Structure formats: structure tokens, C-alpha cells
């Protein structure tokens, strides 16, 4: 297998670079590539990390799983791109400086149609997509969430049915392209569940399909791998950002090895991470609750705490510390992380939560 300048060889760990664009200053922008190929044929697992350049625990976990000895132990091949965003890495920032928005929202989507030529981040994402779409049997994309956040896995819903082209003039929708049918979507969702569970972090289902598409998450690394390329793919959130959380990094590596065991690339039983979900019902990710009152946020909960509908999540106080309002939740679930800062404007969310999810994990792409 060849990815950029990295050419795999049985029983070896090789490194190289994947050029993704030319920089105005005369050098290529290139992504580091590592490939570990086993002596025996088997599946190909892709590990990508730190598309948000300040999510350094993700980068460190990706580096650490790609040990010299991995190639002598595995069946099949592991391809690892530990940093998908060198511009963000240079400055320890979430985004690149090509244009300031989220680089993890520009992967190819059959629904995405622009009248202007794609900008450089979209070209880079497309080139990364092309590199994994043909070769990956599974993909794990490593990230981090809020400071103090619990580590978790995000499991996306699998979309089925045609993407639609919406006429700019009339608003009329016509189906385009061929997409998986519902049975294929269920099969893909089952495969995804098997691998996401194998990681042995608490699994949180992604937002509802409507919110997912609204946020362009089908154009994230794992979202496009899953919903466009049909590869079982999920996102891992390894705690907080900007400083490597060593304990979480270590568990992140264990999770990756567990996925290899589940794919029968590595022998042996899965190693428990010891990370258990605080509740025993299915949950989905929720940016919730929001405060209607502007003020200073004083949280009553921390990451990992459970709550029930009606519980107060935070107080909103004046700059003098006097009570102004309370922010309640109307869901059951647990706290994933608290949002940074204490200054809240109207309708700002105060926490990232995992709330009870009764929704289906396989959903039609067009919600009519
Ligand atoms: Zn991220």
C-alpha cells in the first residue's frame, strides 16, 4: 500500500508524507503518515487524529499506538495520520489559518453543492477522503472535547436513501446519486456498533439526524467515512485539549488495540479501559441546556454527574454573585463536559450532555 511517500512493507512500520496542497510560501502542506503492515493479509484500519490542531491528546494517542512492534503482531494493515491539520498544530489552534472555520466540516458529501470553486480546506479534506475511501475497512478519528470532559465515543447515525438536489430557483428537491438502502444501512450500523463498543469508552449516539445535517457533521472525517464512503467509522473524544492528558491517552491507545482485536487483526481478549457510562440507557449528544438569561454561569454539576428531568444544571448570577436565574434540564442523562468560560449571552448553552435517546440509529437521509 502506498499513501503519499509512505510505502508499506510486510512486518514493518514505515513513515512518509502525504502532500495535500501547495503553500503560497513555496513548500507543500504535508500530513505525516505511518503504515504498519502485518506479515499476514487482513483488514485495513485507518486512524486519523487532530484535525482540530489543539487536540493534542488525540495526536499523542495516534503516535503511541504506531509502535515499531505493531507490524510484527498484526494481521492486515494500520494506516495512521496523526495530524490532519498542520496549520492548527503549528499554532495550537482548533482551525487552520487558510480560512477560519471548522476543517472537520468539509469532507465530500453528495448533497454539498457550491457555485464557487472549493476552497483549500475543502480540497485538503477531499484528498484525505480519497486516500482512505478506497482502502479503509474501518476508521477511527481521534479528537478531544472540553477541558474536564469525560472520554467518550461518538456513534453517528447511518443515513439511507438518496441525497437530494434542491433547486435554487424553485426549492424543488430531486433525488441524486445512488445511496445505500435501509438494509445496507442496518448492516453498516451493526458493524459500527460492534467496533464502537469494542473501543470500551462510553458510547454516545450523535445528535438527531436533522441536527447532524444542520451542523454538517456528515462532512466530518468519521461522518463522511461512514455516510458517504460506507466505512464503519466513529469519533473518539479523549478528554480536554491543549495539554496531553496522559491517563486518557493511555486508555485511547487501549481502545485502538481493542478495535484491532475486534477486527481480528490482533489476537487475544479485549483489555478493559475501566471507563463505564454513568447510566445504563442509550444516550445521545446534546448541546443543552441553554440559558435564556445573560449573566455569569455557575455550574451545579461536573462531568460524569447524572441528572433527571427538572434538575438544575447551573445558576446564572450577576457580576456581584447575586442569583438571577436557574438553568434546568428537561432530560435524563449525564454531564459530558461544561462549556468553557462563565460569561453567558442569551441562549448560550452551559453544558455538553448525554441525554436519553429513544431515536433510531438508521434514518432516511431526506426527512420529508
Ligand atoms: Zn475535535
Amino acid at each position: 500500500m502506498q499513501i503519499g511517500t509512505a510505502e508499506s512493507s510486510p512486518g514493518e512500520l514505515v513513515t512518509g508524507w502525504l502532500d495535500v496542497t501547495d503553500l503560497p510560501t513555496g513548500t507543500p502542506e504535508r500530513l505525516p503518515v505511518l503504515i504498519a503492515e502485518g506479515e499476514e493479509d487482513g483488514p485495513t484500519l485507518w486512524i486519523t487524529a487532530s484535525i482540530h490542531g489543539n487536540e493534542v491528546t488525540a495526536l499523542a494517542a495516534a503516535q503511541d499506538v504506531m509502535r515499531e512492534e505493531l507490524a510484527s503482531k498484526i494481521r492486515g494493515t494500520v494506516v495512521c495520520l496523526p495530524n490532519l491539520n498542520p496549520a492548527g498544530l503549528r499554532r495550537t489552534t482548533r482551525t487552520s489559518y487558510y480560512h477560519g472555520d471548522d476543517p472537520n466540516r468539509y469532507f465530500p458529501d453528495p448533497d454539498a453543492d457550491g457555485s464557487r470553486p472549493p476552497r483549500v480546506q475543502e480540497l485538503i479534506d477531499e484528498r484525505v477522503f480519497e486516500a482512505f475511501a478506497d482502502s479503509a475497512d474501518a476508521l477511527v478519528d481521534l479528537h478531544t472535547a472540553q477541558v474536564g470532559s469525560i472520554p467518550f465515543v461518538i456513534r453517528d447515525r447511518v443515513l439511507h436513501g438518496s441525497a437530494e438536489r434542491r433547486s435554487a430557483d424553485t426549492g424543488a428537491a430531486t433525488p441524486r446519486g445512488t445511496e445505500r438502502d435501509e438494509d445496507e444501512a442496518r448492516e453498516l450500523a451493526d458493524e459500527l456498533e460492534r467496533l464502537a463498543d469494542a473501543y470500551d469508552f462510553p458510547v454516545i449516539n450523535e445528535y438527531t439526524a436533522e441536527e447532524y445535517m444542520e451542523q454538517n457533521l456528515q462532512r466530518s472525517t468519521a461522518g463522511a467515512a461512514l455516510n458517504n464512503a460506507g466505512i464503519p467509522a466513529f469519533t473518539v473524544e479523549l478528554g480536554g485539549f491543549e495539554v496531553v492528558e496522559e491517563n486518557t491517552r493511555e486508555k485511547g491507545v487501549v481502545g485502538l488495540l481493542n478495535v484491532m482485536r475486534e477486527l481480528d487483526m490482533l489476537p487475544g481478549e479485549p483489555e478493559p479501559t475501566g471507563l463505564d457510562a454513568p447510566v445504563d440507557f442509550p444516550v445521545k449528544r446534546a448541546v443543552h441546556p441553554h440559558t435564556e438569561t445573560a449573566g455569569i454561569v455557575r455550574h451545579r454539576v461536573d462531568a460524569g454527574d447524572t441528572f433527571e428531568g427538572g434538575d438544575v444544571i447551573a445558576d446564572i448570577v450577576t457580576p456581584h454573585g447575586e442569583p438571577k436565574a436557574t438553568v434546568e434540564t428537561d432530560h435524563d442523562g449525564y454531564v459530558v463536559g461544561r462549556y468553557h468560560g462563565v460569561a453567558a449571552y442569551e441562549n448560550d448553552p452551559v453544558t455538553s450532555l448525554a441525554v436519553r435517546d429513544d431515536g433510531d440509529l438508521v434514518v432516511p437521509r431526506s426527512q420529508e
Side-chain angles (χ1 to χ4, degrees), residues 52 55 94 143-144:
H52 298 130
E55 298 183 352
R94 178 177 172 86
H143 287 250
T144 66

mmCIF file of all heavy atoms in Angstrom, residues 52 55 94 143-144, ligand 1:
data_model
loop_
_atom_site.group_PDB
_atom_site.id
_atom_site.type_symbol
_atom_site.label_atom_id
_atom_site.label_comp_id
_atom_site.label_asym_id
_atom_site.label_seq_id
_atom_site.Cartn_x
_atom_site.Cartn_y
_atom_site.Cartn_z
ATOM 1 N N HIS A 52 -8.509 18.982 14.489
ATOM 2 C CA HIS A 52 -8.503 20.199 15.291
ATOM 3 C C HIS A 52 -7.111 20.282 15.913
ATOM 4 O O HIS A 52 -6.740 19.430 16.733
ATOM 5 C CB HIS A 52 -9.620 20.160 16.333
ATOM 6 C CG HIS A 52 -10.982 20.095 15.700
ATOM 7 N ND1 HIS A 52 -11.947 19.191 16.056
ATOM 8 C CD2 HIS A 52 -11.496 20.845 14.680
ATOM 9 C CE1 HIS A 52 -13.017 19.390 15.290
ATOM 10 N NE2 HIS A 52 -12.776 20.375 14.452
ATOM 11 N N GLU A 55 -5.999 19.580 19.578
ATOM 12 C CA GLU A 55 -6.479 18.380 20.274
ATOM 13 C C GLU A 55 -5.321 17.379 20.397
ATOM 14 O O GLU A 55 -5.256 16.347 19.733
ATOM 15 C CB GLU A 55 -7.714 17.844 19.553
ATOM 16 C CG GLU A 55 -8.821 18.910 19.623
ATOM 17 C CD GLU A 55 -10.148 18.513 19.008
ATOM 18 O OE1 GLU A 55 -10.239 17.462 18.364
ATOM 19 O OE2 GLU A 55 -11.100 19.286 19.185
ATOM 20 N N ARG A 94 -7.616 25.248 17.031
ATOM 21 C CA ARG A 94 -8.596 24.289 16.514
ATOM 22 C C ARG A 94 -8.636 24.293 14.976
ATOM 23 O O ARG A 94 -8.615 23.257 14.340
ATOM 24 C CB ARG A 94 -9.973 24.671 17.065
ATOM 25 C CG ARG A 94 -11.108 23.798 16.579
ATOM 26 C CD ARG A 94 -12.410 24.229 17.267
ATOM 27 N NE ARG A 94 -13.566 23.549 16.709
ATOM 28 C CZ ARG A 94 -14.002 22.341 17.116
ATOM 29 N NH1 ARG A 94 -13.364 21.696 18.065
ATOM 30 N NH2 ARG A 94 -15.061 21.788 16.572
ATOM 31 N N HIS A 143 -10.202 12.823 18.620
ATOM 32 C CA HIS A 143 -10.409 14.235 18.979
ATOM 33 C C HIS A 143 -10.291 14.402 20.487
ATOM 34 O O HIS A 143 -10.096 13.433 21.223
ATOM 35 C CB HIS A 143 -11.831 14.671 18.593
ATOM 36 C CG HIS A 143 -12.041 14.836 17.134
ATOM 37 N ND1 HIS A 143 -12.213 16.052 16.545
ATOM 38 C CD2 HIS A 143 -12.116 13.915 16.135
ATOM 39 C CE1 HIS A 143 -12.383 15.893 15.236
ATOM 40 N NE2 HIS A 143 -12.334 14.608 14.959
ATOM 41 N N THR A 144 -10.476 15.652 20.934
ATOM 42 C CA THR A 144 -10.730 15.906 22.342
ATOM 43 C C THR A 144 -11.905 16.868 22.446
ATOM 44 O O THR A 144 -12.250 17.540 21.481
ATOM 45 C CB THR A 144 -9.515 16.526 23.071
ATOM 46 O OG1 THR A 144 -9.270 17.829 22.552
ATOM 47 C CG2 THR A 144 -8.269 15.667 22.912
HETATM 48 ZN ZN1 LIG B 1 -12.167 17.845 17.531
#
